[in-house]
Amino acid sequence: MKAKQEKEFLGEGVSPGVVFGQALKLDKRNRAILKMHVDDVEQEARRLLDAIEQSKEQLSVLKCRLEEKIGSEHSVILDTHILILEDPTLQAEILDCIRKKHANSEWAVMQAMNRIVRAYESLEDAYFREKHNDIEDALERVIANLSGDSPFSWSNLPGDLIIVSRDFHPSAFATMDLHKVRGLVLELGGRTSHTAIISRGLRLPAVMGIRDIFPSTSTGDALLVNGDDGQVILNPTQKRMQRMRGRIEAFGTTAAYVLEKSGQTTLTRDGTPVSLRANTELPYELEAAKRCGAEGIGLFRSELLFFGHPQGLPSVQEQLRVYSKLVREMKPHPVAVRTLDAGSEKLFDGEDFPGQYNSAMGLRGIRLSLKAKDMFRSQIEAILRSGSEGNVEIVLPMISTVEEIRQARSLISEVRDSVRKTSKSRLRKVPVGAMIEVPAAVFALEVLAREADFLCVGTNDLIQYMLAVDRENPHVAYLFQPLHPTVLQCLARIADVAAKLKKPARICGEISSNPFFAVLLLGLGYTQLSMNPLSIPAIRRVLHEVSIDDSRMIADQALTFSTAREVCSYLTHAVSELVKADLGHYVREISVPDEMS
């Protein structure tokens, strides 16, 4: 049998590491279409034809509704979808695949769709290249009707999978068997996306922004993923595998080496203690946090508890089990649980919570919690009750006014009193912190800090809001600059106000996991940093070599520059002069990208 031809794809390496595995393609619903052996091919053929008829009926209904709203001239697109499904040549191709290969209908439809899409994308005319979207939409409707909404099982899948998809929502991590996944390859997304951040936290090599990778790949294809260089090789040759084997093996052994070097104490060169904590949101990360010597969970993002729940919202008991495990396992260190930070469109349907076009500035975070009070009370009760296992903290997201903190504290007091009366159990005092991630919060900090027990600086959102940059938008992603002078001035102000009011302030954004940023943050006055667990040993090692005076000098100088590029140039030179460790890999992470064409 002739070997499949090697093909190279380039994208953006968003999570480092080099891995080899086999592709598992996921569709728009993060659902895998796997080939299954079918004995009764005629029954399977009837199942396909029934699904096609069901899809045509659905499209006819949608067409009528669309005509009522906007007129018949705009509903013609659905006629196109119906004609695609009625195409006898296409039906014959799919039926032939079912009968000759004894394949399930879902897989046969997917094979036909991939072939047609590849053919369209090979055309030079841009207009015709885009026409494959109609075919994909029509055939994906058939697949949805064949598969239903039931999730596929990971139990029979191998343990060397590379996820390949157009896009990948962070909530999908909640239902994925991460023990079987080695890497992530996406057509969309970038370094600052939440999916990329989670991938780095899970030490899952990932490459995003790869054009045409999805239609070119089939489930089971061999893939070499190079998250360091943003390269993906489909069906790599033996010669290439021999060249890359050392890097694959090195990545596999790095984690063990790093964990061996993990100490429990972080001191600067002149003996100043620095608390390094872990950002987590998945059960898998708890063990990594402990092994890497995290001094607590600086931020537990609770969203995946809600997104991954199969039926509605998680109960108090379901949440309590998760929070209690975190608190118990990290004892005596604290665990900070951030209350739900999601838009209403992710969790609710109906008139009370209508859909929103811009959830980043809509009903999300503390705004949603204060409106959906029953949900908020359930989460607060679970957090408070988990305090019997150890030290737990509450973090309120997206705070922009002092009234939000006061209202939240009032509800927390109500829940505490209710639990005390019903259970007659003593509840420990639980500190309540505010996320500082909205520009208004930075300027109203003196007032907010007096109402909060501590401050958590969410740099990912703060940068996004401060610079008016949607970090998921490829057209403006280059403007998402953590070293922008305005961002540094905000961070300096937060540290100064917190110090004056004697309120603890910790950085909980992704920048903490980069040694260059860590030294800069230390110089600005932050001695609590929270990051993805596997970054802790590297940051600890760097901070051992830096004194407080050195870091303050670096921070003071960084604040004098007028562009992010100037700050980057200075910071890379100044920190590299102090630290013996090779920081070359981290330079790329802080570099300021060129404007996109």
Side-chain angles (χ1 to χ4, degrees):
M1 185 176 178
K2 186 178 179 181
K4 293 184 178 180
Q5 185 175 1
E6 178 183 277
K7 190 172 182 180
E8 179 179 344
F9 296 86
L10 295 176
E12 182 181 11
V14 301
S15 183
V18 181
V19 289
F20 175 74
Q22 58 179 307
L24 176 67
K25 288 184 68 173
L26 299 184
D27 64 10
K28 290 180 179 178
R29 299 185 181 187
N30 287 325
R31 175 186 56 196
I33 306 299
L34 305 176
K35 183 180 181 182
M36 310 291 290
H37 179 81
V38 173
D39 291 321
D40 191 339
V41 293
E42 292 308 317
Q43 181 179 343
E44 189 67 13
R46 287 193 295 274
R47 191 168 80 91
L48 169 71
L49 295 174
D50 287 344
I52 290 175
E53 287 304 313
Q54 183 183 359
S55 300
K56 288 164 57 181
E57 291 172 8
Q58 292 168 348
L59 289 168
S60 295
V61 171
L62 289 173
K63 180 188 174 186
C64 291
R65 291 178 183 172
L66 199 59
E67 286 178 347
E68 291 174 2
K69 291 183 177 181
I70 61 174
S72 59
E73 66 271 17
H74 296 292
S75 64
V76 67
I77 184 65
L78 296 181
D79 284 327
T80 303
H81 288 195
I82 293 171
L83 289 171
I84 290 169
L85 297 181
E86 291 177 340
D87 181 2
T89 304
L90 177 59
Q91 287 191 19
E93 177 183 346
I94 300 171
L95 288 168
D96 193 52
C97 181
I98 291 172
R99 289 175 174 136
K100 288 186 177 180
K101 298 185 178 181
H102 284 259
N104 54 311
S105 297
E106 294 90 338
W107 189 81
V109 173
M110 182 63 75
Q111 295 305 107
M113 184 169 71
N114 287 344
R115 182 192 64 77
I116 296 169
V117 170
R118 280 196 291 266
Y120 269 91
E121 291 189 335
S122 68
L123 299 175
E124 293 183 5
D125 191 299
Y127 173 79
F128 287 106
R129 282 189 56 152
E130 296 300 322
K131 297 304 288 182
H132 70 74
N133 291 329
D134 291 336
I135 296 169
E136 283 187 287
D137 289 343
L139 293 182
E140 281 179 354
R141 179 176 292 276
V142 176
I143 292 173
N145 285 322
L146 285 165
S147 305
D149 291 324
S150 56
F152 71 95
S153 172
W154 290 84
S155 58
N156 296 321
L157 296 178
D160 60 346
L161 300 173
I162 307 292
I163 299 298
V164 180
S165 187
R166 301 276 192 196
D167 198 3
F168 194 80
H169 194 275
S171 61
F173 285 108
T175 55
M176 177 195 296
D177 186 345
L178 289 166
H179 295 297
K180 295 187 174 184
V181 178
R182 291 184 179 177
L184 191 62
V185 173
L186 303 179
E187 287 198 342
L188 302 177
R191 162 163 290 277
T192 57
S193 69
H194 195 186
T195 299
I197 292 170
I198 295 177
S199 298
R200 290 193 289 274
L202 294 173
R203 203 168 176 271
L204 196 67
V207 181
M208 298 183 182
I210 315 173
R211 184 172 179 176
D212 297 341
I213 186 74
F214 190 77
S216 301
T217 308
S218 299
T219 291
D221 282 347
L223 284 178
L224 178 65
V225 180
N226 183 344
D228 298 335
D229 303 326
Q231 182 187 55
V232 176
I233 307 299
L234 174 63
N235 302 314
T237 63
Q238 288 187 353
K239 185 176 181 180
R240 186 183 292 273
M241 286 300 298
Q242 289 173 354
R243 290 203 312 267
M244 298 298 291
R245 195 168 305 282
R247 293 182 67 176
I248 295 171
E249 293 174 354
F251 176 73
T253 58
T254 297
Y257 170 79
V258 163
L259 294 175
E260 286 176 9
K261 303 298 181 183
S262 296
Q264 289 292 323
T265 304
T266 304
L267 298 174
T268 62
R269 196 177 72 221
D270 52 357
T272 302
V274 181
S275 176
L276 300 185
R277 306 184 187 187
N279 292 335
T280 64
E281 53 197 314
L282 292 163
Y284 302 95
E285 296 170 304
L286 177 60
E287 186 60 33
K290 292 167 59 181
R291 293 174 66 199
C292 288
E295 297 174 64
I297 303 297
L299 193 70
F300 176 73
R301 304 180 180 104
S302 63
E303 289 74 51
L304 294 189
L305 273 177
F306 291 77
F307 294 159
H309 198 271
Q311 297 175 333
L313 302 174
S315 67
V316 172
Q317 289 299 324
E318 288 171 320
Q319 293 185 68
L320 178 60
R321 281 195 292 272
V322 174
Y323 305 149
S324 294
K325 178 178 174 61
L326 287 169
V327 174
R328 187 168 53 249
E329 294 287 327
M330 292 307 301
K331 193 174 182 178
H333 300 301
V335 172
V337 179
R338 184 179 68 186
T339 59
L340 182 66
D341 187 18
S344 59
E345 76 285 353
K346 300 285 184 66
L347 299 167
F348 299 100
D349 293 316
E351 295 181 1
D352 290 339
F353 299 98
Q356 32 186 4
Y357 293 106
N358 188 355
S359 63
M361 294 187 181
L363 189 61
R364 60 165 287 197
I366 192 63
R367 301 170 183 178
L368 177 61
S369 293
L370 293 177
K371 189 173 179 63
K373 292 182 180 177
D374 288 343
M375 178 196 71
F376 188 49
R377 287 189 181 100
S378 295
Q379 184 169 27
I380 292 300
E381 179 179 344
I383 297 172
L384 292 177
R385 289 172 60 185
S386 70
S388 63
E389 301 283 352
N391 297 319
V392 68
E393 301 170 341
I394 295 172
V395 183
L396 306 174
M398 206 180 178
I399 293 294
S400 59
T401 69
V402 72
E403 288 89 352
E404 290 166 339
I405 301 179
R406 289 171 180 168
Q407 290 176 44
R409 277 193 172 277
S410 177
L411 281 169
I412 293 169
S413 296
E414 289 178 17
V415 174
R416 181 185 291 109
D417 292 342
S418 176
V419 173
R420 282 173 175 166
K421 289 177 182 177
T422 56
S423 65
K424 298 188 183 299
S425 60
R426 294 185 61 187
L427 295 178
R428 294 186 180 186
K429 179 177 173 57
V430 174
V432 178
M435 289 294 296
I436 307 301
E437 52 194 341
V438 177
V442 177
F443 290 100
L445 198 60
E446 286 85 355
V447 177
L448 298 180
R450 291 188 178 95
E451 297 287 337
D453 297 313
F454 62 96
L455 305 174
C456 279
V457 186
T459 54
N460 301 335
D461 276 335
L462 179 61
I463 297 165
Q464 177 172 254
Y465 289 126
M466 183 61 65
L467 302 181
V469 175
D470 178 1
R471 61 180 187 252
E472 306 278 356
N473 185 333
H475 299 293
V476 295
Y478 70 95
L479 292 171
F480 187 89
Q481 298 172 355
L483 291 176
H484 192 288
T486 303
V487 174
L488 299 189
Q489 292 291 341
C490 286
L491 294 176
R493 169 172 163 72
I494 296 168
D496 289 343
V497 172
K500 289 175 184 175
L501 297 178
K502 298 183 179 178
K503 293 293 177 78
R506 81 180 64 120
I507 298 287
C508 294
E510 183 68 6
I511 63 174
S512 294
S513 60
N514 184 291
F516 293 99
F517 282 121
V519 173
L520 177 61
L521 293 169
L522 180 65
L524 290 174
Y526 295 96
T527 55
Q528 289 187 21
L529 305 178
S530 194
M531 62 200 71
N532 74 68
L534 292 167
S535 296
I536 290 175
I539 300 301
R540 177 176 289 122
R541 178 184 176 187
V542 167
L543 294 184
H544 280 324
E545 300 184 41
V546 178
S547 72
I548 284 290
D549 287 342
D550 289 335
S551 65
R552 286 174 180 165
M553 180 191 67
I554 288 173
D556 289 343
Q557 185 63 34
L559 290 170
T560 66
F561 295 108
S562 56
T563 70
R565 199 176 299 279
E566 291 170 349
V567 177
C568 177
S569 176
Y570 166 73
L571 193 61
T572 52
H573 173 75
V575 175
S576 298
E577 287 286 306
L578 292 172
V579 178
K580 297 177 182 177
D582 180 11
L583 303 179
H585 165 68
Y586 296 99
V587 173
R588 183 172 62 87
E589 291 186 2
I590 72 166
S591 60
V592 180
D594 294 326
E595 181 174 352
M596 298 179 67
S597 58

